Amino acid sequence: MSSDNVVPFISRSRANAAGKILRADQGQDGAEYVQAREIAQRWRAQHIDPTQQCFKQVLECSKRIPQSVATYRLKRMISIIRKLQRPNAHFKLGELDDIGGCRLIVETNEEVNEAADWLISRLSLKNGSGDKDYIAHPQRSGYRSRHLLCKAEAGSASYHVEVQIRVRDCSIIGPRQWRRLGRFTEPSTKVPR
């Protein structure tokens, strides 16, 4: 490979600087914005290997749980930019936990917890808030899931990858979502409270 084809490594601090420009949203056609977006895209691409490393463990876990489904993805660039631009949020591009993401869908909350325990024993978690248990402590919206915020190494750098473990059925839908769904059902349909 010639040196012309080498894509420069993007450091976390360089990603944060690019994210600051993207968050400001001062003209998407300007050279500074275009360069910041290019840096962000390369930062996103650097999450491919770490996400695949985590996914290998999620896939192994999935093999242990009948009827489970395992997937992974990289967050779309437009979603990253929108997250950076949320009002009253102070996200830094280099600190986002969900650019790389894996998902394991199982049948029961017990399987969610079993899978989380198995994965925690095999993946490095981010210091501090590496395990977010939205089953034991549902969000105000009613959302229920377990999120493991993993730290995966690639080369000389570490990256954050989010592993979501949730159930397949509607038990993850809380009362507020059921009320919203009720607006779209026939008047004779009863919506659980």
Side-chain angles (χ1 to χ4, degrees), residues 173-193:
I173 297 178
R176 291 175 64 185
Q177 281 77 17
W178 279 115
R179 282 194 292 278
R180 280 191 215 127
L181 285 173
R183 288 184 283 191
F184 302 106
T185 60
E186 297 294 325
S188 61
T189 303
K190 289 188 177 182
V191 177
R193 298 257 177 222

Side-chain angles (χ1 to χ4, degrees), residues 77-89:
M77 201 57 221
I78 189 67
S79 298
I80 292 170
I81 293 171
R82 285 181 182 151
K83 187 168 188 172
L84 292 171
Q85 293 175 346
R86 284 184 192 165
N88 301 320

Side-chain angles (χ1 to χ4, degrees), residues 123-143:
L123 295 169
S124 297
L125 297 188
K126 182 179 167 185
N127 292 337
S129 60
D131 181 4
K132 295 185 177 184
D133 189 345
Y134 299 123
I135 293 173
H137 308 284
Q139 292 183 329
R140 287 183 54 201
S141 66
Y143 177 75

Side-chain angles (χ1 to χ4, degrees), residues 13 37 43 50-52 55 99 113 178:
S13 61
R37 187 177 169 103
W43 174 252
T51 303
Q52 289 175 337
F55 182 66
I99 291 176
N113 292 325
W178 279 115

Side-chain angles (χ1 to χ4, degrees), residues 47-59:
H47 284 74
I48 293 170
D49 287 343
T51 303
Q52 289 175 337
Q53 287 174 34
C54 288
F55 182 66
K56 285 178 184 174
Q57 293 299 320
V58 172
L59 197 55

Side-chain angles (χ1 to χ4, degrees), residues 14 18 21-22 30-40 42:
R14 190 164 178 210
I21 293 166
L22 295 173
E32 185 179 46
Y33 185 91
V34 170
Q35 182 180 20
R37 187 177 169 103
E38 183 180 307
I39 290 167
R42 292 198 330 243

